[in-house]
Each structure stands twice: as structure tokens, then as C-alpha cells.
Amino acid sequence: PLTEKDRAAARAAAALPLPPGAAAMLAEPKAVVKVKVPAGLDNPRPFLPSSNPPTLHKWELGRRLFYDKKWLTDSAGESCASCHDSHTGFADNARDHYGLNTPTLVNCVYNGRQFWDGRAGALEEVIQRTMDDEIAPTKGAPFRHVWSGVVGRLRARYEYKHLFLSVFGTPPTQDALGKALATYLRTLLAGDSVHDRALTAQAADHAPGLKAAHYEKALESDDLKALKIDDKADAARKIYRGYRLFNDLEEHKTGCILCHGGREFTDGRFHNLGVGFKKFDPGEEPGRFASLPVGEKEGRLIGAYKTPTLRGLSRTAPYFHDGSAATLEEAVQFHTDGGQRNEYLDPELQKRDLPAPEREALILFLRALDGKDVGLPPPE
């Protein structure tokens, strides 16, 4: 809730000299940002919370916050984009980042839960979640995806104090910060992949199912270059074979579709694959189990982590929550080997006998899900 002092500051904001950024935002009330939803993605509107409808000013502020290196940490020099780089699928390609692999933010508007363990629900919670998050952690405490003191640092900066007043009618707060960042993050959309365009070709032909010919129509010269294949017909045949393997339509079953269905190629659930699984003491159970409140914990969620989207795989290596698979080939091998055995292993993960040609076709199909990059450049 706002104090009387905050209300007075908001009422006085119009009379104060605004910095150029805030003045420009207020001078163009009819300006809009048009976000085109790429082919293959669901309509994101049902995923937008009614408590945070998108506006131009919130989006502009969120984008500025995302790339600004002067407010996130005490020492400065680090921003959200430092770990979620737009050039690498909004991940950072680091094999071990504070013990975890940085997940992509691409298409995060569709996420039901945030982080590998799902400890946050809404995107608005990614920086801070409670009032205690403003307090600096004790020295030597393990890394958490929470930055202390951000509200104080933002309020100390003249331009941000006035930008928040103009956008939200309040000085910087945890709530306003989360809303601005979430508004920007929800526009990081990537689709229009070879597979998406093949589905469009199928629909145009009124065909009952996908064929290799649809992939051949979808492939462009840039796609062949990215896939490192010169012959379009050969590439189409292999991708189509991979599509059938992925969806368990071949004699050799892969089981991929069991957890990676839908347009985002994820079930949004949590599974124990045995990735990095180690013995633990009672009370130190890893994975989704640890972030759940008492009464919702289940044994199957010990060591279980969120199923990631399969879009943009070529940009977002390494793979798995701990970054232990350096390449897509290693990740596929781990799955077909049946994961790492442990008493909580997901029963759907089985050892699969997949010959080399089928493995190659499956990996080619996964790369055909990449799609075009997010078309939102960073601010100057």
C-alpha cells in the first residue's frame, strides 16, 4: 500500500522536470508496440494475467530494466541480459552457472511455473517474491535467484524514480518492478520453424498428415545452411523420419512425445531423469520436492525438474538443469540410455534401442524446431 508521502510524490510527478526517457514516454500516449506472434505458437493472450495487462510504457520500462547493468547488483556491471543473452536464445551457454544451467526465456509467457524446480508461479516473481528479499543474504549463503536491495537502488536513481511514477503512479516497488519486467519477458516469442512451416504447407494442401514433401516446401536456403545439409530433398526426408520417431509413429519408439507434446514441446510438468542425481540426507531432497509446501510433496518429485521447451535447442546448449549434456547428441544419448537409475526415476523413461540413422534423423528434427530468432532488439 502507498504511504501518504508516496501519493503526494505521484501527484507532484507531473510538475517535476522529467528526464528525456520519461518525457518521451508521456509525450506519445498513442504509440504502441506491435508484437507479432510467430507461426506455430499458441495465442498468448489467455496466458496474460488480468492483474498485469500489457502497456507500452510498462514494456519500455521492463526492456530498459532487463538490459541495464546498474541496478540489479550492489557492485553493478551485471544485468538480467548478462545471463539471459538475446544472442544465445536468452540463455548464457554456461555449463555450470551457480550450480544450475540458465534456462531460456524464449516463449516464457506459456510457462505455468518458473525455474527448473517451479518454485515461482508468475513471471512477476522472478526477481523478488517476499519483503525479506530486500534484505542482503548472509555472507557465504548459497545463490538464489533473488537480488536484495534492488528497490532501494532504483529509488536512488533519479530517472527510474520518475519513470516508475509516470508508469505506475508510485516510486519503485517490488510489485511494480515485477510487472514491468514480466511485461517485457512475455513478448520474447520465437517460432516460425521449419516444422511450423511444414504444418502450414500441410494445411494448405488439406492433407490428413505431414509428409516429407511438406518439409521440402518449408526448407529455405538459410535452414539448409543451419542444418549443414546441401540437398533439400535429403534434408526433408530425414526431418520427416525424425518427426515420426519423435511422435512414436515408427517401429523404433523414442517416447519423446510423452513429455514433449504441444506447440511448446513440453508438458510443463516435473520428471526425475536421474540427471546429476546423488545421495542426500533427509530434509535435503533435491528438485521439485524441495520447493513444495508440506501436504503437496510426493516422492516421485524428488530429483524431478521441469520439462523444458524444445524450441531453440541449437542456441541454448548445454542441456538439462545442471548443464551436464554439452551437446544435443549427448542429451539424446542420455534419454535413450534410460537416464541414470535411481529409486525415484520417472517410469516413462526407458532404455531405447535407437540405431545411428534413426538417432541422426531425430536430432535433425529437433534442430528443425529452432525457428527464427526473437525480433526484439535491445534498447540503444
Side-chain angles (χ1 to χ4, degrees), residues 161-244:
K161 185 173 182 180
H162 288 284
L163 284 170
F164 274 86
L165 282 168
S166 66
V167 175
F168 294 101
T170 173
T173 64
Q174 286 178 313
D175 183 68
L177 167 63
K179 286 181 176 179
L181 275 171
T183 298
Y184 174 67
L185 296 180
R186 290 189 174 108
T187 63
L188 303 180
L189 302 174
D192 195 22
S193 68
V194 171
H195 177 65
D196 297 320
R197 297 197 297 273
L199 290 171
T200 300
Q202 174 199 349
D205 289 347
H206 303 288
L210 269 174
K211 300 294 181 185
H214 297 133
Y215 284 103
E216 190 168 354
K217 289 181 181 179
L219 284 163
E220 301 171 357
S221 58
D222 287 345
D223 301 318
L224 294 173
K225 185 177 179 181
L227 296 172
K228 299 179 180 179
I229 297 182
D230 296 325
D231 186 270
K232 182 185 286 191
D234 181 43
R237 284 193 297 271
K238 288 180 178 177
I239 295 172
Y240 176 63
R241 183 72 185 278
Y243 158 77
R244 291 183 58 82

Side-chain angles (χ1 to χ4, degrees), residues 29-53:
K30 293 184 180 179
V32 296
V33 172
K34 293 185 178 180
V35 180
K36 183 178 180 180
V37 180
L41 302 185
D42 288 316
N43 181 354
R45 292 192 183 197
F47 298 88
L48 305 180
S50 58
S51 59
N52 188 23

Side-chain angles (χ1 to χ4, degrees), residues 276-334:
F277 194 85
K278 300 175 182 177
K279 290 184 178 180
F280 54 86
D281 294 326
E284 297 180 358
E285 293 84 356
R288 178 63 174 150
F289 184 93
S291 66
L292 285 169
V294 174
E296 293 186 24
K297 296 180 184 291
E298 298 179 63
R300 67 179 182 84
L301 296 175
I302 294 175
Y305 294 89
K306 188 172 71 173
T307 306
T309 177
L310 296 182
R311 290 188 178 272
L313 288 176
S314 295
R315 298 185 184 95
T316 56
Y319 307 103
F320 300 138
H321 74 273
D322 63 353
S324 56
T327 66
L328 193 51
E329 287 77 8
E330 287 182 23
V332 170
Q333 182 72 55
F334 184 88

